[in-house]
Amino acid sequence: MFVLGIETSCDETSAAVLDDGRVKSNVISSQLVHQKYGGVVPELASRAHQRMIIEVVDEALRCSGITKQQLHGIAATQGPGLVGALLVGLNFAKAMAYGLNIPFIAVNHMEGHLYSDFLMDDQPRFPFVSLIVSGGHTMLVHVRAPFDHQLLGQTRDDAAGEAFDKVAKMLKLGYPGGPIIDKNAATGNPRAIRFPRTFLEEGTYDFSFSGVKTAVLYYLKKNGWLDDPEFIAPDHLNDICASFQEAVVEVLARKTIEAANELRVKDVALAGGVSANSRLRSKMREVCEKEGVRLFYPKPEYCMDNGAMIAYVGWLRLQRGFVSSNDLPAVANLELV
Ligand code: KG4
Ligand code: ZN
């Protein structure tokens, strides 16, 4: 079964073709237009999606070696995301499916991330615990069986990726901040500054990252660097990045392994943009090995927003006879479960 997947929820225009869940092509066009604003500008995102969508879909088909007439279905992200951005991919998918007289399948973006681990050869086994960490969400999910998910906890304020981006902005490092902080942290000392770890009340799997973000802000203010981070010595900048990253990663790792132990699952999967973080991966490897739990994470192009994960969920749904109506709207705050 050949499925085309289209993703336009934020600042990546992406399309992919899968053959029975195996990736034949995955084309991602990242919008650079937002960089000078230090964050995604929704209207510019919609326009850039409109400019790129035909080219990206054509390229995905071309690279896959599959013609559009061979497709069995077209999946697109319905939400959550920026409504104007979602509308571009969603309407494109509807129109294309209608024209080809094949099913259109709407996909929840977070479900896409959750199943992105299945794009890899080595896949988690049900039941497992999934930690989805992206720019907009931080979620811990008990995945009991396909499409049988229980949300264990989520962020009460900033998402993990959002905290990375905001701290990078304070340090004038550019956008998106996660990969830059990750790179700087590699040569920094994670114990140089003790930023707070917020575990919230006993027993909760919810997260909060606004405290650690504010702690970095106060640290910069106290040292007179808030408006002039360019005066921070490079080695110390790396220490700040490493110390901040360590605080975020420690909370993510501890809560995830606690959930796995409590639910007695043997597999843990990471997903979302922040799952590309090298320290999160190494810390998770450490804790999982210690507890005898297997760890899974997608390769970087499947961590970031991509059409392949959307096509994968579309394929799973299509097999179960799930097809969406052409009346379906784009939704900014679509719930995962
Ligand atoms: O999943 P994603 O591509 O888009 C959303 O659905 O939000 O995630 C983007 C987020 C951004 O906040 C970015 O800074 C973060 O993922 N990110 C990282 C890394 N790579 C991307 N954060 C930490 N370390 C990284 N290596
Ligand atoms: Zn995403």
Side-chain angles (χ1 to χ4, degrees):
M1 210 186 250
F2 299 126
V3 176
L4 169 70
I6 297 175
E7 154 63 37
T8 65
S9 68
C10 192
D11 57 346
E12 255 92 32
T13 314
S14 180
V17 177
L18 267 60
D19 173 2
D20 277 338
R22 310 282 305 177
V23 182
K24 304 289 285 181
S25 66
N26 184 39
V27 177
I28 304 170
S29 163
S30 296
Q31 304 175 352
L32 304 178
V33 59
H34 310 288
Q35 275 174 355
K36 64 173 178 278
Y37 302 100
V40 179
V41 183
E43 180 57 30
L44 294 180
S46 315
R47 289 187 209 176
H49 286 307
Q50 249 158 356
R51 273 196 303 277
M52 291 308 295
I53 187 90
I54 295 178
E55 208 177 307
V56 167
V57 169
D58 270 349
E59 180 74 359
L61 283 165
R62 200 183 58 74
C63 294
S64 71
I66 288 157
T67 65
K68 55 180 185 286
Q69 285 77 18
Q70 287 175 283
L71 293 173
H72 296 93
I74 302 180
T77 307
Q78 184 192 10
L82 305 167
V83 169
L86 289 163
L87 278 171
V88 178
L90 198 71
N91 286 334
F92 188 92
K94 283 179 187 176
M96 191 170 167
Y98 183 76
L100 293 167
N101 198 22
I102 54 174
F104 150 69
I105 311 110
V107 171
N108 181 314
H109 182 78
M110 303 318 293
E111 225 164 69
H113 278 304
L114 199 159
Y115 287 93
S116 63
D117 290 275
F118 290 86
L119 297 170
M120 305 297 288
D121 288 337
D122 200 15
Q123 304 175 349
R125 277 197 296 257
F126 298 96
F128 64 94
V129 163
S130 170
L131 173 70
I132 313 173
V133 268
S134 72
H137 294 81
T138 304
M139 292 177 161
L140 204 49
V141 186
H142 183 199
V143 191
R144 292 179 285 224
F147 300 111
D148 179 4
H149 320 135
Q150 183 199 358
L151 184 63
L152 301 169
Q154 59 187 329
T155 185
R156 294 188 187 166
D157 39 57
D158 290 326
E162 192 178 355
F164 271 94
D165 293 338
K166 287 178 176 171
V167 166
K169 195 170 180 177
M170 283 178 220
L171 295 168
K172 295 194 183 154
L173 293 177
Y175 178 86
I180 308 167
I181 291 189
D182 191 353
K183 188 163 159 275
N184 288 350
T187 46
N189 173 9
R191 281 179 290 276
I193 308 143
R194 178 80 195 170
F195 290 125
R197 278 82 169 137
T198 307
F199 289 98
L200 299 169
E201 63 279 6
E202 183 76 26
T204 183
Y205 289 121
D206 277 351
F207 299 92
S208 166
F209 294 111
S210 70
V212 61
K213 175 196 69 184
T214 309
V216 176
L217 185 127
Y218 283 136
Y219 179 79
L220 297 180
K221 202 170 176 180
K222 190 181 79 186
N223 288 285
W225 292 321
L226 192 55
D227 296 318
D228 307 295
E230 47 277 13
F231 292 123
I232 305 171
D235 284 351
H236 193 61
L237 177 67
N238 295 343
D239 287 348
I240 297 173
C241 290
S243 301
F244 160 74
Q245 177 176 275
E246 195 66 16
V248 173
V249 163
E250 212 175 286
V251 175
L252 291 171
R254 174 141 25 127
K255 293 215 177 218
T256 307
I257 203 69
E258 270 174 18
N261 285 341
E262 190 187 329
L263 296 162
R264 296 204 178 89
V265 301
K266 286 281 149 231
D267 288 2
V268 161
L270 309 179
V274 184
S275 69
N277 183 269
S278 50
R279 181 57 186 141
L280 178 63
R281 290 178 172 207
S282 69
K283 181 83 183 175
M284 286 303 301
R285 276 197 297 269
E286 273 168 36
V287 296
C288 286
E289 199 171 316
K290 195 161 150 245
E291 300 296 326
V293 168
R294 299 192 311 160
L295 177 68
F296 298 83
Y297 41 76
K299 63 177 177 179
E301 65 180 279
Y302 302 148
C303 291
M304 66 197 295
D305 290 347
N306 67 86
M309 67 184 194
I310 303 304
Y312 189 89
V313 174
W315 172 67
L316 286 183
R317 288 195 169 275
L318 198 55
Q319 287 175 83
R320 287 162 175 78
F322 181 97
V323 171
S324 307
S325 144
N326 267 348
D327 299 340
L328 208 81
V331 183
N333 299 311
L334 197 63
E335 296 291 323
L336 174 65
V337 273

